[in-house]
Amino acid sequence: AYTGSAGEALSKGTPGAPKKLADIAKVPLLMKESPVRVREIWLEQFREKELAIAGTIAKDEYHVIHANATACPMFLATLPKGEGYLNLVWQYQGGSFIYQTLESFQRQDVGQVEFGLVLFTELLGSHNIVLAHGSLQSGLLDKYEASRLVRITREAYMDPAAYGWVRTFNQRAREFDYEDYMREYRPLERWNAMGA
């Protein structure tokens, strides 16, 4: 099994690699705005960009996500695709999530990233928000699917029932039963319910 890290997969120069907020936004201008206005500006900036998504995370939610993702940095996302479904593996490190197909992960193909999500914390102290920026890296996912994937990731770290599966997957991998997870947690049904 691959034991590398998101940092290896997101090496310098890789799209979706950790960046500074200043690389994609005018931070001094954002600092002058209210948190509500920063959120509006951020979402508007990426609304029409085909290969990018954006979001914001409140301070308290970010602290829970960061602590839980640091403790348990990997998990599965199962989503419907065509007549079947697709399994992605995500890894978290240093404020970034990367998403790979299960097959790429098993081949240890750290360069094959489907989607990267960076959490920018530069406004956490002043505005109590984290700006999230996602980059689609291949044609496997569309913008809508990437947005849902971020929601699934947030739920995995915020919802105690979901986090129980994440914790088992990371800390007691031999006890993680994929079939039980599919039957009891029903990730495909949760995915489909998000579209409603």
Side-chain angles (χ1 to χ4, degrees), residues 66-78:
H66 177 70
N68 287 345
T70 299
C72 297
M74 296 175 57
F75 198 56
L76 298 171
T78 303

Side-chain angles (χ1 to χ4, degrees), residues 6-134:
E8 290 171 5
L10 291 176
S11 61
K12 191 172 180 131
T14 300
K19 310 172 182 102
K20 294 182 203 162
L21 181 57
D23 292 340
I24 59 172
K26 294 181 174 134
V27 179
L29 295 178
L30 290 176
M31 294 293 284
K32 295 177 184 178
E33 301 291 345
S34 71
V36 170
R37 184 66 185 128
V38 168
R39 181 181 188 279
E40 291 170 354
I41 291 167
W42 186 250
L43 297 177
E44 183 61 33
Q45 172 68 23
F46 298 102
R47 181 168 284 123
E48 301 301 321
K49 302 230 190 277
E50 189 177 325
L51 299 177
I53 65 164
T56 60
I57 303 172
K59 180 180 180 178
D60 293 342
E61 182 181 357
Y62 168 74
H63 286 304
V64 172
I65 290 170
H66 177 70
N68 287 345
T70 299
C72 297
M74 296 175 57
F75 198 56
L76 298 171
T78 303
L79 56 138
K81 202 69 170 167
E83 296 296 315
Y85 58 90
L86 173 68
N87 281 312
L88 296 173
V89 175
W90 75 64
Q91 297 180 72
Y92 177 79
Q93 183 177 1
S96 295
F97 287 93
I98 62 156
Y99 300 81
Q100 295 180 281
T101 64
L102 179 59
E103 294 78 18
S104 292
F105 176 78
Q106 289 172 331
R107 285 192 316 265
Q108 302 178 25
D109 187 356
V110 297
Q112 182 59 45
V113 174
E114 307 304 334
F115 177 61
L117 179 69
V118 180
L119 306 180
F120 295 108
T121 59
E122 286 89 337
L123 300 178
L124 190 57
S126 61
H127 289 67
N128 294 321
I129 60 171
V130 171
L131 301 179
H133 179 266

Side-chain angles (χ1 to χ4, degrees), residues 162-174:
Y163 187 60
W165 290 103
V166 176
R167 194 172 33 247
T168 301
F169 184 84
N170 283 268
Q171 297 174 354
R172 298 181 316 276
R174 291 186 187 274

Side-chain angles (χ1 to χ4, degrees), residues 137-153:
Q137 306 298 320
S138 73
L140 185 64
L141 300 172
D142 62 29
K143 188 169 179 160
Y144 182 68
E145 290 168 327
S147 294
R148 285 173 138 186
L149 191 55
V150 172
R151 287 174 61 190
I152 292 287
T153 304

